[in-house]
Amino acid sequence: MNRKIRYGMVGGGRGAFIGAVHRIAAAMDQQIELVCGAFSSDPKRSQASGADLFLPPERCYGTFEDMIKSEARLREGERMDFIAIVTPNHLHFRPAQLALEQGIHVLSDKPATFNLSQARKLRELVRKTGLLYCLTHNYTGYPLVKEARDLVRAGKLGKIRKVIVEYPQGWLATRLEATGQKQASWRTDPKRSGAAGSIGDIGTHAENLAEYVTGLQIEELAADLTTFVKGRKLDDDGNVLLRFQGGAKGVLHASQISVGEENNLNIRVYGEKGGLEWHQKPEGYLEAFANIYKNFANHIRARLEGRRPAKDDPALDYPKIEDAVRGMAFIEAVVKSSRKNAAWTKLEV
Amino acid sequence: MNRKIRYGMVGGGRGAFIGAVHRIAAAMDQQIELVCGAFSSDPKRSQASGADLFLPPERCYGTFEDMIKSEARLREGERMDFIAIVTPNHLHFRPAQLALEQGIHVLSDKPATFNLSQARKLRELVRKTGLLYCLTHNYTGYPLVKEARDLVRAGKLGKIRKVIVEYPQGWLATRLEATGQKQASWRTDPKRSGAAGSIGDIGTHAENLAEYVTGLQIEELAADLTTFVKGRKLDDDGNVLLRFQGGAKGVLHASQISVGEENNLNIRVYGEKGGLEWHQKPEGYLEAFANIYKNFANHIRARLEGRRPAKDDPALDYPKIEDAVRGMAFIEAVVKSSRKNAAWTKLEV
Amino acid sequence: MNRKIRYGMVGGGRGAFIGAVHRIAAAMDQQIELVCGAFSSDPKRSQASGADLFLPPERCYGTFEDMIKSEARLREGERMDFIAIVTPNHLHFRPAQLALEQGIHVLSDKPATFNLSQARKLRELVRKTGLLYCLTHNYTGYPLVKEARDLVRAGKLGKIRKVIVEYPQGWLATRLEATGQKQASWRTDPKRSGAAGSIGDIGTHAENLAEYVTGLQIEELAADLTTFVKGRKLDDDGNVLLRFQGGAKGVLHASQISVGEENNLNIRVYGEKGGLEWHQKPEGYLEAFANIYKNFANHIRARLEGRRPAKDDPALDYPKIEDAVRGMAFIEAVVKSSRKNAAWTKLEV
Amino acid sequence: MNRKIRYGMVGGGRGAFIGAVHRIAAAMDQQIELVCGAFSSDPKRSQASGADLFLPPERCYGTFEDMIKSEARLREGERMDFIAIVTPNHLHFRPAQLALEQGIHVLSDKPATFNLSQARKLRELVRKTGLLYCLTHNYTGYPLVKEARDLVRAGKLGKIRKVIVEYPQGWLATRLEATGQKQASWRTDPKRSGAAGSIGDIGTHAENLAEYVTGLQIEELAADLTTFVKGRKLDDDGNVLLRFQGGAKGVLHASQISVGEENNLNIRVYGEKGGLEWHQKPEGYLEAFANIYKNFANHIRARLEGRRPAKDDPALDYPKIEDAVRGMAFIEAVVKSSRKNAAWTKLEV
C-alpha cells in the first residue's frame, strides 16, 4: 500500500500542549500524515489551527461529530484511517465512541476516559467492531523500557519480588490553576479531569509502566492521597503500597507538589536473580512517543493490507483497550482506598 | 585538659565488621584513644584482638562486666571515659546498663536495644545518672545531611509536605545466613536481632535520618513487611507509609533483597517552597562516622572540664537516648502494623 | 505562503545512515516535505528508496544532475526549494555547485567539501548567487548549546580564557573498514573522505562547536595526529593545542579509537567570571538536528515571502558557508601542523 | 613488634592545611602515632600546635634541625621512625636531606623538591643510605586507581594507545595571593614554589597518575603554559601534548583558573581492547591518603622486623624517590618546552 497512514485530530489547537507533541510523534517516522482536524470547539480557531498546519480549509472541522461523520463518507485512501484524541479527559469518551461506531480506528491520550464505566463501554465497542484502539502511554515507547520488559520476560531477573515506581513533578506546588494557566485548570478540575488529580494525570503512567515492565498485574493497593494546596479539589500527591499477582510487593508514588522535580518518572524492579532501574530523564521523549504511533500505524497498515501481524511483531506493541480499562480501574481503586484510610482495595477491571 | 578522651570497646574482635569502623571513626580526629577492650567472650580471642591494636594485655578483658568494673576502679585520666558497644543487638542493653550504673558514659551501635522496653529502661538510667549516651546513627554525621537539616530548620523549604526515604540493600537476596556468614547469621536471627530484620537493621537509619533532616516526628505509619527468602525468620523487605506531625506525608522503604543495590540510603524532602535530595553513595562514610564520635567526645570533654556547651555547639549534635527510644518505638510500630495488614499504628515512645 | 518548504535529497538511499537522520530532522517540525530524490547512483536503488518514502516514481532520479536540472524546470511551489546533500565527502561539492548554478538553495552534510579549495569556490558561488547555504553541524542545534553561546555572548563568563573540546568515539578501534562496513570504508578512504580521518569526520564538529559557543575564532593550532590501526590510511586520533583570537587557549581532541566511548562530544569553557560545561550524551539528537533544518527552512520561507529576518531571528541561526570554509581550513591546518611535528599553524580561510 | 610506627612532623602548625590532612591519614589505620614535631619556625607557635595535638612540650621543637638531631639520639622505639615533611616546596629538600643523613626515613609532600637537581641529590642519598623515602602522591592511594593500574597491568585493555589526564581547579582564577591568603601566596611565589605554578602544584599529580595507571613513562612533551591572572609570576594554566614510551599519545592539562572546578582530577586510558575512566570526585580522599601512609609504615615495620616484603606486597605500593625525580623532571620539561613555544622536549631524569 503505497501511501502514508492518515489521521485526523480532535483537540490540539493553538495554545494546546500535548496535541503538538502528538503531531511531532506522528510525523517523525514519515509513515503517517495529518489530513484533517477538529482542533477546537471554536470553528474559527479550528480553521486557524489547521491553516498553521497547511491543511485545506474544508478539512478543518468545527466539531468532532462533523469531522468523524464527514470523513467516514470519504473513500479509503482519502479519509482519515484513525482519529487522534488529545482533548482533556472528560472529552475522550465521546469522540472515541463515535469514531468506533463509524468504523474509524482510535488513538487516545490517557487516561482513556472520565471514569471506569466509560472505559468498559469502549472495551465493549472495540470487541464488537474489531477496530484498533491505542492509548498513548508513551513511556512504554522508550527502547530501554522495552529492553527492561524483555529482560524480565526472558527471566534474567528471576521471579520478581519488589517494584518501586515513582512519578514526582513539582509544577503544581502552588495554586497555578488560580492564575488561569490552561494545563493546570482542567487537570485540577473534577469535572474535566475525573475522580483523581495527580493519580489520574501521572499515577496512571506509573501504574502502566510497572505492569508493562514486570508483566505482572497489580492485584490490590493501599493508598494515601493528599491535597496539599489549599482550595484545590483533587489530590496533588499520592503514596501507594502495591501487591502484585504472584506475591511481588511494591511502592508507587506520584506527586505534583514535589518542588524541584520536573518529570522524573522512574522504576526499579528487583527479582530473585537481578535488578534493573530505568529513569525517564535523559532519553528522547519524542522518539518514544513516535514509537507508539509507529507501531499503531503499522498495525493499521497490516489491517489495510489484509495481513495479520505475528505475535512478536512490534506492530502489536502499543497500549490497548485492556490497558485503558486497567488504568481507570487503578484510579478508582486508589481513590476508594484513600477514602477508607488506605484500606487494601482490589483493582476491578 | 591536655589528654585524649579514652574509651574501651565491647565486641569488635577479630573478624567483626562494625567494630573496626568504630575504631577508625574514633581515631580519625586524633581526639580519642582506645585504652581497653572486651573484644570477645572468648578471653584468648579478646587478648589477641587487643594485641593487634597494640593494647597492653592487662587491659584486654574476657567479659564486659570485668572490663567495666575494673576500669571503674582506675583513676580518671587513666580509666576509660566511655564505653563503645559494637556487639549484636541482643548484647547492647546489659553493658550499657552496667556502664551507666558504674558511672561510665555510653556509646552504642544501633538499634539501641533488643526491644522498646529495654530502651525505656536505659532512658531512665540516663536521666537518673546524668551520664551521656550516644547512638551511632552515623548517617546524621555527614556534613551534607547537617546542611540539609539546617536548610529545613532555616525555613528555606517552607513547611514540609512530603518525605521519601529509602534504604535498599541487596546482600540478603539469597539465604546467606545458611552459609554461616557471621553478619547475616545474627541479623536474621530473632534471638539476636530482635523483632525485625531489615527494618531494625537499616529501616531505623532511614527513620532517624528522616526525623533528623525534617525536624518532624513520625506520628503514625502503615507497614507492609515481607520475608521473601524462604526459611528466613525475619522480614527482609518493608514498605511503609508515613504520616508526620503537622500533616507531612511520606514513604519509607528498606530492603535487603534489592539485588544490585549496595547501600543506597537516600532521602528527598519537599516543602512548600523548595525541595532537597541527599544520597549516601558518594560521600565519606568514615568521616561521617568520625563526626559522631568527635561530637560525643567533645561533649564528654566539656563535662570533664566542667563546661556546659551552648545550645548550638556541635558537641551536642549526635543521636541521644531519645533517638534510641524512638528507633525502638519505630520498630515495634512497624511490626505491629504489618501484622494487622498495614493498619495505621502510632509510635509509642 | 500556505505550503511546506520542499526539498530533494542527494544520497541517503537504502542502507545509508545519515540520510535517514536528515529526513527525520526535516519531518519533525512538519514545516518541510520531501518531494524528490537522487538516492543512489544506481537508478533502480534510487527508485526503490523513493518508493519506501511514498514518493511518486517520476521524482526519483538516477543522478543528481538529472534531479537538479529537471526540478529547476518546474514552477515554484512544485519544485524543490532546496537540495539536501547526504553523500560521502567527495560527493558534496558537485551537487552543491550545480544546485547553486541552477538557483536552488543548498543544505549539505559536513565537512562541506573534499578540500579547502572547493569550499572557497562554493563561497564564491554563494556570494554571487545570493542563495542560501546550510552546513549541518547539528550539534549547534541543541537548545543547551545555544544557551551556552548566549551566556558567553551576554558576558556572564567574562573574557574567555580556556576551552576544552573533546570528541571521542571508539567504533574504529579495530580495522572495521576491512570487513566492508560501509560507514567505515569511505570514512577511512583518502579518496572519499579527504585529507583527514577522525579530524575531518568529527574533529570539525568539535571545532565548529568551540567557535559557536565562544564566539571566538581559532587563530593557530599545534596538532599531533596518529593512525593507531595498522593498514589504515588516515588519522584515527588527534590531539590539538589551540590558540584563539584574543588570547584564549584550548585543547581539542578527537578520536575514533577510544574504546568504550560512543559519541561523547563535550565542551568546557572557562572565563574570568564563570565556566560552563556541555555534554552531548543525554539530549535529543534528532531534535537538535531538526532545529538546523527548521531555521534554514524558515530562512528560505522568508526569502520566498520577500521578508528579511531581523538580526536575532532564529531563522538566521544555522551554520553557513563561512563555517563551511573555516571547517575545511581547520582540517588543512591540522594536517599540515601534524606533518611538521605539531608546529604552530594558522587557519587560512 | 608490638608498637605503632612513630613519626615527627615538619610544618603543619596551626592554620596550615595539608599538615592536618597528613595527620588524619596517619591516624586513620591506627598503625602510626605522632610523637614529635617542628610545626613552625616560630617556637611558640610550634609549642602551641603540639599542645593541640596532646604532645609533650619537650618534643615540640623550634626547628627541624633540632628535632632531627634530638630524636636521632633517642633509642629506637622511642624516637620517631620517620619524618613527615609538609612545608612549602622550597623547604622540602633540607629536612629530607638531614633526616636521611641522620638515619631517619622520610615521607614528603609533593613536589619532592624545589628543582630537579635537588631531587637527584636526594636520590643519591636514598641509594647510599638504603633508607626509605615516600612521596605523597595521594591519588595513587585510591583503591579504584589501583584497580585501574591492575587492569592495565593484567592486559585487560590491550596495548595502551591514548591517555587523557586532567586536573582543573578554579580557586586561583582571581589574584587571591594579593589578599594574603596563605595557600595562594606561596604557591604563586617562584621563590617558594619553584619554576612552575599550577604545573608543579597539580600537574605533577596528573603526571604521576598517568604513569602509575598505565605503567608507561612519558618520553617527551609539548607544553603551552599561560599566566592568565595579571601580575602573577607563575603559570596558572597548562596544556600539554604527551608521547609515551612505546607509542601511546596523550593530553595532560592542569589549571587553577578553571572557574567552577573544585578539584576535578581524572584520567581516561584507551587501549587496543578496552578503555577505563577514573574521576577523583566521589571517593574518599582521606582514606586514599591513609593508604599511602599505611603502606609506607608497613614497609618501615618490615625493616624494623628484619623482613623483606615480597614483590607484590602492598607495603611496597607507594610513590618512591624515582617518582620524586620523575615529577621534577616533568616540571622542568614542561617549563622548557613552553619557553620554546611548545617544542617537543624530553624528560631527563
Side-chain angles (χ1 to χ4, degrees):
Chain A
M1 195 189 72
N2 193 24
R3 66 165 178 90
K4 294 186 180 181
I5 299 297
R6 309 182 139 214
Y7 78 109
M9 181 167 272
V10 179
R14 285 178 174 181
F17 165 65
I18 203 67
V21 170
H22 277 254
R23 288 192 295 265
I24 295 172
M28 198 181 293
D29 289 294
Q30 307 146 67
Q31 301 290 314
I32 304 171
E33 66 184 322
L34 179 69
V35 295
C36 62
F39 299 106
S40 170
S41 50
D42 168 354
K44 277 190 185 163
R45 193 184 190 84
S46 186
Q47 280 291 336
S49 302
D52 290 348
L53 301 162
F54 312 116
L55 287 183
E58 67 274 15
R59 293 183 84 171
C60 301
Y61 301 90
T63 65
F64 71 83
E65 291 90 346
D66 189 9
M67 179 170 91
I68 293 170
K69 288 178 182 168
S70 302
E71 291 281 322
R73 284 192 292 268
L74 300 176
R75 65 166 180 80
E76 196 230 272
E78 193 177 353
R79 71 165 174 257
M80 61 180 178
D81 296 300
F82 72 92
I83 192 173
I85 304 170
V86 298
T87 49
N89 303 353
H90 68 304
L91 299 174
H92 287 178
F93 175 68
R94 285 173 51 224
Q97 185 184 36
L98 184 60
L100 291 169
E101 288 170 354
Q102 296 288 327
I104 310 277
H105 303 294
V106 171
L107 174 149
S108 172
D109 207 76
K110 41 52 57 191
T113 51
F114 191 68
N115 55 39
L116 176 55
S117 150
Q118 289 180 346
R120 287 171 175 157
K121 278 181 201 155
L122 283 189
R123 182 173 55 187
E124 271 312 297
L125 259 176
V126 167
R127 283 178 184 168
K128 208 173 70 181
T129 60
L131 289 165
L132 303 181
Y133 178 93
C134 173
L135 188 73
T136 52
H137 274 308
N138 51 297
Y139 296 108
T140 61
Y142 283 99
L144 286 178
V145 168
K146 296 184 183 301
E147 173 85 8
R149 176 203 56 181
D150 291 346
L151 286 169
V152 173
R153 201 183 266 174
K156 302 286 182 188
L157 275 66
K159 194 188 173 195
I160 300 307
R161 288 169 165 173
K162 180 159 191 173
V163 179
I164 307 290
V165 62
E166 309 184 320
Y167 203 151
Q169 294 181 334
W171 68 293
L172 291 177
T174 59
R175 204 170 161 208
L176 190 58
E177 61 269 36
T179 69
Q181 205 264 9
K182 194 176 166 179
Q183 300 303 322
S185 296
W186 73 259
R187 280 179 166 84
T188 58
D189 175 2
K191 289 186 190 140
R192 287 179 282 173
S193 188
S198 60
I199 281 295
D201 193 28
I202 58 176
T204 47
H205 275 308
E207 168 263 334
N208 182 261
L209 181 65
E211 297 199 340
Y212 183 82
V213 169
T214 64
L216 299 175
Q217 293 188 344
I218 298 169
E219 229 167 46
E220 59 177 349
L221 52 80
D224 194 19
L225 299 185
T226 312
T227 304
F228 280 108
V229 174
K230 270 180 201 155
R232 186 166 287 162
K233 291 176 186 152
L234 293 173
D235 63 278
D236 46 28
D237 186 86
N239 301 323
V240 188
L241 301 179
L242 303 175
R243 290 177 180 162
F244 291 83
Q245 58 179 171
K249 299 286 185 81
V251 174
L252 178 155
H253 54 94
S255 175
Q256 294 179 316
I257 56 86
S258 294
V259 189
E261 303 282 2
E262 210 169 327
N263 199 46
N264 191 11
L265 176 64
N266 67 83
I267 186 168
R268 285 163 280 169
V269 179
Y270 306 100
E272 293 188 350
K273 299 192 301 187
L276 64 80
E277 188 167 353
W278 176 80
H279 285 257
Q280 188 263 330
K281 278 190 165 175
E283 284 184 88
Y285 177 78
L286 296 172
E287 288 89 332
F289 220 118
N291 284 340
I292 303 287
Y293 263 87
K294 183 177 62 182
N295 292 347
F296 183 57
N298 282 337
H299 197 184
I300 293 176
R301 185 179 296 279
R303 277 289 173 88
L304 290 167
E305 296 179 352
R307 289 181 290 108
R308 195 191 178 93
K311 204 183 158 189
D312 59 350
D313 188 323
L316 296 181
D317 184 11
Y318 61 86
K320 303 192 185 63
I321 191 67
E322 291 74 22
D323 300 279
V325 175
R326 289 197 63 75
M328 296 313 299
F330 170 77
I331 291 173
E332 296 218 346
V334 165
V335 170
K336 195 169 153 193
S337 168
S338 186
R339 282 188 189 141
K340 294 187 178 173
N341 198 24
W344 288 102
T345 306
K346 291 198 185 301
L347 264 72
E348 310 276 5
V349 297
Chain B
M1 196 188 73
N2 192 24
R3 66 166 179 89
K4 295 187 179 180
I5 300 297
R6 311 183 137 213
Y7 77 109
M9 182 166 269
V10 180
R14 286 179 174 180
F17 164 66
I18 202 69
V21 170
H22 277 253
R23 287 192 297 266
I24 295 172
M28 198 180 292
D29 289 294
Q30 309 146 67
Q31 301 290 313
I32 305 171
E33 66 183 323
L34 179 69
V35 294
C36 62
F39 300 106
S40 170
S41 51
D42 170 352
K44 278 191 186 162
R45 193 185 190 85
S46 186
Q47 279 292 337
S49 301
D52 290 348
L53 301 162
F54 312 117
L55 288 183
E58 68 276 14
R59 294 183 84 172
C60 301
Y61 301 90
T63 66
F64 71 83
E65 290 91 345
D66 190 10
M67 178 170 92
I68 293 169
K69 288 178 180 167
S70 303
E71 292 281 322
R73 284 191 292 268
L74 299 177
R75 66 167 179 79
E76 195 231 272
E78 193 177 353
R79 72 165 173 256
M80 63 178 176
D81 297 300
F82 73 92
I83 192 173
I85 304 169
V86 298
T87 49
N89 302 354
H90 68 305
L91 298 175
H92 287 180
F93 175 68
R94 285 172 52 222
Q97 186 184 36
L98 185 59
L100 291 169
E101 288 170 353
Q102 295 288 324
I104 310 277
H105 303 295
V106 172
L107 174 149
S108 171
D109 208 77
K110 42 51 53 190
T113 52
F114 191 68
N115 56 40
L116 176 55
S117 151
Q118 289 180 346
R120 287 171 175 157
K121 278 181 199 155
L122 283 190
R123 182 173 57 186
E124 270 312 296
L125 259 175
V126 167
R127 284 177 184 169
K128 207 173 71 183
T129 61
L131 290 165
L132 303 181
Y133 178 93
C134 174
L135 188 73
T136 51
H137 274 308
N138 52 298
Y139 297 108
T140 61
Y142 284 98
L144 285 178
V145 169
K146 296 184 184 301
E147 173 86 8
R149 175 204 55 180
D150 291 347
L151 286 170
V152 173
R153 202 184 265 174
K156 301 286 184 190
L157 275 65
K159 193 186 173 195
I160 300 307
R161 287 169 164 172
K162 179 159 192 174
V163 180
I164 308 290
V165 61
E166 310 184 319
Y167 203 151
Q169 295 182 333
W171 66 295
L172 292 177
T174 59
R175 207 172 160 206
L176 189 58
E177 61 270 35
T179 69
Q181 206 264 11
K182 195 176 163 178
Q183 300 302 323
S185 294
W186 75 258
R187 279 180 167 84
T188 58
D189 176 1
K191 289 187 188 136
R192 288 179 282 173
S193 188
S198 60
I199 281 295
D201 193 29
I202 57 175
T204 48
H205 275 309
E207 168 264 333
N208 182 261
L209 180 66
E211 296 200 342
Y212 182 82
V213 169
T214 63
L216 299 175
Q217 293 188 344
I218 297 167
E219 230 167 45
E220 60 177 349
L221 52 79
D224 194 19
L225 298 185
T226 312
T227 304
F228 280 109
V229 174
K230 271 181 199 152
R232 186 166 286 164
K233 291 174 186 154
L234 294 172
D235 63 278
D236 47 27
D237 187 85
N239 301 324
V240 188
L241 301 179
L242 303 176
R243 289 176 180 164
F244 291 83
Q245 57 179 174
K249 299 286 184 79
V251 174
L252 178 155
H253 54 94
S255 174
Q256 294 180 315
I257 54 87
S258 293
V259 190
E261 302 282 1
E262 208 169 329
N263 198 48
N264 191 12
L265 176 64
N266 68 82
I267 186 168
R268 284 163 281 169
V269 180
Y270 306 100
E272 293 186 350
K273 297 193 302 187
L276 64 79
E277 187 167 355
W278 176 81
H279 284 257
Q280 188 264 332
K281 279 193 164 170
E283 284 184 270
Y285 176 78
L286 296 171
E287 289 89 332
F289 220 118
N291 284 342
I292 302 288
Y293 263 87
K294 183 177 61 182
N295 291 349
F296 184 57
N298 282 338
H299 197 185
I300 294 177
R301 185 178 296 279
R303 276 289 174 90
L304 289 168
E305 297 178 351
R307 289 181 289 108
R308 194 192 180 93
K311 203 184 157 187
D312 60 348
D313 188 324
L316 297 180
D317 185 10
Y318 60 86
K320 303 193 184 61
I321 191 67
E322 291 74 22
D323 300 281
V325 175
R326 288 196 64 76
M328 297 311 300
F330 170 77
I331 291 173
E332 297 218 346
V334 166
V335 170
K336 196 169 151 192
S337 168
S338 187
R339 281 187 190 142
K340 293 187 179 175
N341 199 24
W344 288 101
T345 306
K346 291 198 184 301
L347 265 72
E348 309 276 5
V349 297
Chain C
M1 196 188 75
N2 192 23
R3 65 165 178 91
K4 295 187 179 180
I5 300 297
R6 311 183 138 213
Y7 77 109
M9 182 166 270
V10 180
R14 286 178 174 182
F17 164 66
I18 203 67
V21 170
H22 278 254
R23 287 192 296 264
I24 295 172
M28 198 180 293
D29 289 294
Q30 307 147 69
Q31 301 291 314
I32 304 170
E33 65 184 322
L34 179 69
V35 295
C36 61
F39 300 106
S40 169
S41 51
D42 169 354
K44 276 190 187 164
R45 192 183 191 85
S46 186
Q47 280 292 337
S49 302
D52 291 347
L53 301 162
F54 311 117
L55 288 183
E58 68 274 17
R59 293 182 85 173
C60 300
Y61 301 91
T63 66
F64 70 84
E65 291 90 345
D66 189 10
M67 178 170 91
I68 293 169
K69 288 178 181 169
S70 303
E71 291 281 323
R73 283 192 292 266
L74 300 177
R75 65 167 180 80
E76 195 231 274
E78 192 177 354
R79 72 165 174 256
M80 62 180 176
D81 297 300
F82 72 92
I83 192 172
I85 304 170
V86 297
T87 49
N89 302 353
H90 68 304
L91 299 174
H92 288 178
F93 175 68
R94 285 172 53 223
Q97 185 184 36
L98 184 58
L100 290 169
E101 289 169 353
Q102 295 288 326
I104 309 276
H105 304 294
V106 171
L107 174 148
S108 171
D109 208 75
K110 40 52 56 190
T113 51
F114 191 68
N115 55 39
L116 176 56
S117 151
Q118 289 180 345
R120 287 171 175 157
K121 278 181 199 154
L122 283 190
R123 182 174 57 187
E124 272 310 297
L125 259 176
V126 167
R127 284 176 183 169
K128 208 173 69 183
T129 61
L131 290 165
L132 304 180
Y133 178 94
C134 174
L135 189 72
T136 52
H137 274 307
N138 52 298
Y139 297 107
T140 62
Y142 283 99
L144 286 178
V145 169
K146 295 183 184 302
E147 173 85 7
R149 175 204 55 180
D150 291 347
L151 286 169
V152 173
R153 201 184 267 174
K156 302 286 182 189
L157 276 65
K159 194 187 171 193
I160 300 307
R161 287 170 164 172
K162 180 159 190 174
V163 179
I164 307 290
V165 61
E166 309 184 319
Y167 203 150
Q169 295 181 333
W171 68 294
L172 291 177
T174 59
R175 205 170 162 208
L176 189 59
E177 61 269 36
T179 69
Q181 205 264 9
K182 194 176 165 179
Q183 300 303 322
S185 295
W186 74 259
R187 280 179 167 84
T188 58
D189 175 2
K191 289 187 189 138
R192 287 178 283 172
S193 188
S198 60
I199 281 295
D201 193 27
I202 58 175
T204 48
H205 274 308
E207 167 264 333
N208 181 261
L209 181 65
E211 297 200 340
Y212 182 82
V213 169
T214 64
L216 299 175
Q217 292 189 344
I218 299 168
E219 229 167 47
E220 59 177 348
L221 52 80
D224 195 19
L225 299 185
T226 312
T227 304
F228 280 109
V229 174
K230 271 182 199 149
R232 187 166 285 163
K233 290 174 187 155
L234 294 172
D235 63 277
D236 46 29
D237 186 86
N239 301 324
V240 188
L241 300 179
L242 303 175
R243 290 176 179 164
F244 290 83
Q245 59 179 172
K249 299 286 185 80
V251 174
L252 178 155
H253 54 94
S255 175
Q256 294 180 315
I257 56 86
S258 294
V259 189
E261 303 283 1
E262 209 170 328
N263 199 46
N264 191 9
L265 175 64
N266 67 84
I267 186 168
R268 284 163 280 168
V269 179
Y270 306 100
E272 293 187 351
K273 298 193 300 186
L276 64 79
E277 188 167 354
W278 175 80
H279 285 257
Q280 188 263 331
K281 278 192 165 173
E283 285 183 88
Y285 177 78
L286 296 171
E287 288 90 332
F289 220 118
N291 284 341
I292 302 287
Y293 262 88
K294 182 177 62 183
N295 292 348
F296 183 57
N298 282 338
H299 198 185
I300 294 177
R301 185 178 297 279
R303 277 288 174 88
L304 290 167
E305 297 178 351
R307 289 181 291 108
R308 195 190 178 92
K311 203 183 157 189
D312 58 350
D313 188 323
L316 296 181
D317 185 11
Y318 60 87
K320 303 192 184 62
I321 191 67
E322 292 73 22
D323 301 279
V325 175
R326 289 196 63 76
M328 296 312 299
F330 170 77
I331 292 173
E332 296 218 347
V334 166
V335 170
K336 195 170 152 193
S337 168
S338 186
R339 281 186 189 142
K340 294 186 178 175
N341 198 24
W344 288 101
T345 306
K346 291 198 184 301
L347 265 72
E348 310 277 4
V349 297
Chain D
M1 195 189 72
N2 192 23
R3 65 166 179 89
K4 295 187 178 178
I5 300 297
R6 309 182 138 214
Y7 78 109
M9 182 166 269
V10 179
R14 286 179 174 180
F17 164 66
I18 202 69
V21 170
H22 277 254
R23 288 192 296 266
I24 295 172
M28 198 180 292
D29 289 295
Q30 307 148 68
Q31 302 290 314
I32 304 171
E33 65 183 323
L34 179 69
V35 295
C36 62
F39 300 106
S40 171
S41 51
D42 170 353
K44 278 190 185 164
R45 193 185 189 85
S46 187
Q47 279 292 337
S49 301
D52 290 349
L53 300 162
F54 311 116
L55 287 183
E58 68 275 14
R59 294 183 85 173
C60 299
Y61 301 91
T63 65
F64 72 84
E65 291 90 345
D66 190 11
M67 178 171 93
I68 293 170
K69 288 178 181 167
S70 302
E71 291 281 323
R73 284 192 291 268
L74 299 176
R75 66 168 179 79
E76 195 231 271
E78 193 176 352
R79 72 165 174 257
M80 62 179 177
D81 297 302
F82 72 93
I83 193 173
I85 303 169
V86 298
T87 49
N89 302 354
H90 69 305
L91 298 174
H92 287 179
F93 175 67
R94 286 172 50 223
Q97 186 185 36
L98 185 59
L100 291 169
E101 289 170 355
Q102 295 289 326
I104 310 277
H105 303 295
V106 171
L107 174 149
S108 171
D109 208 78
K110 41 52 55 190
T113 52
F114 191 68
N115 55 40
L116 175 56
S117 151
Q118 289 180 345
R120 287 172 175 156
K121 278 181 199 153
L122 283 190
R123 182 174 56 187
E124 270 312 297
L125 259 174
V126 167
R127 284 178 183 168
K128 207 174 70 183
T129 61
L131 290 164
L132 303 181
Y133 178 94
C134 174
L135 189 74
T136 51
H137 274 308
N138 52 296
Y139 297 108
T140 61
Y142 284 99
L144 286 179
V145 170
K146 296 184 184 302
E147 173 86 7
R149 176 204 55 181
D150 292 347
L151 286 170
V152 173
R153 203 184 265 172
K156 301 286 183 189
L157 276 65
K159 193 186 174 196
I160 300 306
R161 287 169 165 173
K162 180 160 192 174
V163 179
I164 307 290
V165 62
E166 309 183 320
Y167 203 151
Q169 295 181 333
W171 66 294
L172 291 177
T174 59
R175 206 171 160 208
L176 190 58
E177 61 270 35
T179 70
Q181 205 263 11
K182 195 176 163 178
Q183 300 302 323
S185 295
W186 75 257
R187 278 180 167 85
T188 58
D189 175 2
K191 290 187 187 136
R192 287 179 282 173
S193 188
S198 60
I199 281 295
D201 192 29
I202 57 175
T204 48
H205 275 308
E207 168 264 333
N208 182 261
L209 181 66
E211 296 199 341
Y212 182 82
V213 169
T214 63
L216 299 175
Q217 293 189 343
I218 298 167
E219 230 167 45
E220 60 176 350
L221 52 79
D224 194 19
L225 298 185
T226 311
T227 304
F228 280 108
V229 174
K230 270 180 200 154
R232 186 166 286 163
K233 291 175 185 154
L234 294 172
D235 62 279
D236 47 27
D237 187 85
N239 301 324
V240 188
L241 301 179
L242 303 175
R243 289 176 180 164
F244 291 83
Q245 57 179 173
K249 299 288 184 80
V251 173
L252 178 155
H253 54 94
S255 175
Q256 295 181 314
I257 54 88
S258 293
V259 190
E261 303 282 1
E262 210 170 326
N263 199 46
N264 191 11
L265 176 64
N266 68 82
I267 187 168
R268 285 163 280 169
V269 179
Y270 306 100
E272 293 186 350
K273 298 192 302 187
L276 64 80
E277 188 167 354
W278 175 80
H279 285 258
Q280 188 263 331
K281 280 191 162 171
E283 284 184 271
Y285 177 77
L286 296 171
E287 289 89 332
F289 220 118
N291 284 341
I292 302 288
Y293 262 88
K294 184 177 62 182
N295 292 348
F296 184 56
N298 282 338
H299 198 185
I300 294 177
R301 186 178 295 280
R303 276 289 174 89
L304 289 167
E305 297 178 352
R307 289 180 291 107
R308 194 192 180 91
K311 204 184 158 189
D312 60 349
D313 188 323
L316 297 180
D317 185 10
Y318 61 87
K320 303 191 185 63
I321 191 66
E322 290 74 22
D323 300 280
V325 175
R326 288 196 63 76
M328 296 312 300
F330 170 77
I331 291 173
E332 297 218 347
V334 165
V335 171
K336 195 169 153 193
S337 167
S338 186
R339 281 187 190 140
K340 294 187 180 174
N341 199 23
W344 288 102
T345 306
K346 289 197 185 302
L347 265 71
E348 310 276 5
V349 296

